[in-house]
């Protein structure tokens, strides 16, 4: 029987949608499984396992799945034996300690001796020890934010993205103890065949990620300005310069980083560039 890479994906939720989208961008089809827990992928030697996010680290550790798409916060909380092989850049959030608006604190030392409700006792306890603090941790599986209002805890430690849930429960974010995003984890005992499939998948994922963080730029410029313009456009190796039918003018093609986008565009305009065209990149392979 041909070996396939067993990929664990959260069976529902935003992280599941983004992970399946990434697989699609990597050329891997995931058919609509009609709520099946395991389906074969298309165009790649893989099968997709749809699991609860909390279970994915253990399934990868035990070898039931070879790799898994999961939140970094889940990986650290479950403390299983698995390697983070790629940070994926989506599903970003933070694990923070929040306090009632009526309870103003100045430093983390003010948390000493408090009762803190959380769904992440392992991460919280580790952070408390690192900061030489002691607290009474109350483990709650859901609706953590209500704990201070019902007198169960003085504070909470929970995931925060927009902060709207904290606001609606009259809480404020006091201290961030972990920044998290979606990651790809791998078991430690993959067969050579499955290890090769993982490397193939990582190559595709990195190409997709790199494309998202860069833009393709085309512009026209007088030849006398080409030198200065090229100094702003390093590209992958160097800009491509193509002579135009218009005398003493050329077209310049290159790639610019998303983070430098506006500064670069402003510099190009100032250097004499015209007709600047910016194009998204679907894949980018070195």
């Amino acid at each position: 029987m041909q070996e396939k890479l067993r990929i664990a994906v959260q069976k529902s939720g935003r992280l599941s949608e983004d992970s399946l989208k990434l697989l699609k961008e990597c050329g891997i089809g995931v058919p609509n499984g009609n709520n099946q827990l395991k389906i074969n992928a298309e165009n790649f030697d893989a099968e997709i396992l749809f699991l609860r996010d909390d279970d994915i680290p253990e399934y990868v550790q035990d070898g039931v799945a070879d790799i898994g798409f999961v939140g970094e916060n889940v990986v650290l909380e479950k403390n299983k034996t698995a390697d983070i092989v790629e940070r994926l850049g989506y599903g970003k959030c933070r694990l923070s300690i929040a306090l009632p608006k009526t309870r103003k604190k100045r430093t983390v030392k003010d948390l000493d001796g408090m009762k803190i409700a959380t769904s992440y006792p392992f991460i919280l306890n580790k952070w408390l020890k690192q900061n030489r603090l002691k607290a009474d941790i109350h483990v709650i599986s859901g609706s953590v934010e209500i704990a201070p209002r019902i007198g169960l805890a003085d504070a909470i430690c929970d995931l925060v993205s927009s902060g709207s849930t904290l606001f609606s429960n009259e809480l404020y974010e006091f201290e961030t103890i972990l920044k998290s995003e979606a990651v790809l984890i791998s078991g430690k005992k993959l067969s050579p065949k499955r290890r090769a499939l993982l490397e193939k998948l990582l190559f595709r994922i990195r190409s997709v990620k790199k494309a998202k963080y860069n833009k393709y730029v085309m512009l026209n410029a007088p030849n006398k300005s080409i030198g200065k313009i090229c100094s702003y456009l390093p590209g992958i190796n160097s800009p491509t310069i193509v002579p135009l039918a218009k005398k003493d003018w050329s077209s310049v093609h290159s790639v610019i980083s998303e983070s430098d986008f506006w500064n670069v565009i402003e510099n190009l305009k100032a250097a004499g560039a015209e007709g600047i065209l910016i194009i998204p990149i679907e894949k980018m392979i070195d």
Side-chain angles (χ1 to χ4, degrees):
M1 182 181 294
Q2 185 178 12
E3 283 191 83
K4 294 185 176 184
L5 188 67
R6 297 164 299 183
I7 305 173
V9 176
Q10 186 175 327
K11 63 182 179 181
S12 62
R14 179 63 184 273
L15 202 65
S16 173
E17 294 173 6
D18 289 342
S19 299
L20 293 175
K21 179 183 176 184
L22 177 57
L23 287 173
K24 182 179 179 180
E25 290 172 333
C26 290
I28 301 172
V30 182
N32 187 340
N34 295 321
N35 295 320
Q36 295 182 59
L37 297 181
K38 183 175 74 170
I39 58 175
N40 289 320
E42 297 175 347
N43 306 320
F44 197 83
D45 290 333
E47 56 185 13
I48 313 298
L49 309 178
F50 293 98
L51 307 171
R52 289 179 65 253
D53 59 339
D54 287 351
D55 294 335
I56 290 176
E58 185 169 0
Y59 274 65
V60 171
Q61 173 188 267
D62 295 345
V64 177
D66 300 311
I67 61 173
F69 291 84
V70 67
E72 184 179 7
N73 56 294
V74 176
V75 178
L76 297 177
E77 178 61 30
K78 295 305 177 181
N79 194 32
K80 301 298 181 181
T81 304
D83 295 326
I84 294 177
V85 294
E86 188 72 16
R87 296 182 178 276
L88 301 173
Y90 59 84
K92 291 187 176 182
C93 60
R94 56 196 181 273
L95 185 63
S96 295
I97 295 175
L99 297 170
K101 292 181 179 179
T102 55
R103 188 186 287 269
K104 298 297 182 181
K105 298 295 179 183
R106 295 182 179 178
T107 70
V108 295
K109 296 298 181 184
D110 294 332
L111 298 173
D112 201 41
M114 279 192 177
K115 293 184 291 184
I116 305 176
T118 187
S119 300
Y120 296 90
F122 182 85
I123 296 174
L124 175 58
N125 189 56
K126 184 177 180 179
W127 181 84
L128 290 169
K129 287 182 177 179
Q130 289 172 345
N131 288 274
R132 299 180 180 178
L133 299 172
K134 292 184 179 181
D136 184 5
I137 299 176
H138 288 255
V139 181
I140 300 177
S141 59
S143 301
V144 175
E145 63 278 354
I146 201 174
R149 297 176 65 184
I150 62 176
L152 181 62
D154 303 309
I156 69 167
C157 179
D158 202 14
L159 289 180
V160 179
S161 51
S162 67
S164 59
T165 301
L166 295 182
F167 181 81
S168 63
N169 284 277
E170 299 182 351
L171 300 168
Y172 71 96
E173 193 172 359
F174 176 69
E175 183 75 13
T176 297
I177 69 172
L178 174 71
K179 291 184 178 180
S180 177
E181 64 181 288
V183 295
L184 183 64
I185 61 173
S186 169
K188 293 184 176 293
K189 297 182 179 179
L190 271 63
S191 69
K193 169 66 174 177
R194 286 173 174 157
R195 177 66 61 183
L197 287 170
L198 172 57
E199 291 302 321
K200 188 176 180 180
L201 176 59
L202 285 172
F203 173 78
R204 297 188 186 190
I205 288 175
R206 289 163 183 164
S207 297
V208 170
K209 283 174 57 184
K210 193 167 185 180
K212 289 180 179 179
Y213 299 146
N214 291 275
K215 301 291 184 184
Y216 191 81
V217 58
M218 296 188 296
L219 59 89
N220 297 332
N223 290 343
K224 64 182 180 180
S225 302
I226 293 295
K228 190 170 185 180
I229 286 173
C230 287
S231 70
Y232 300 125
L233 293 171
I236 298 176
N237 290 312
S238 65
T240 299
I241 301 172
V242 181
L244 294 177
K246 185 177 180 180
K247 186 178 179 181
D248 296 326
W249 277 70
S250 295
S251 176
V252 181
H253 299 206
S254 190
V255 173
I256 57 177
S257 169
E258 181 75 50
S259 60
D260 298 330
F261 179 81
W262 287 112
N263 286 334
V264 171
I265 295 301
E266 290 165 0
N267 289 332
L268 293 175
K269 287 285 292 180
E274 297 181 5
I276 302 173
L277 181 63
I278 308 299
I279 304 173
I281 302 172
E282 184 175 332
K283 307 288 187 297
M284 188 169 173
I285 301 169
D286 289 334

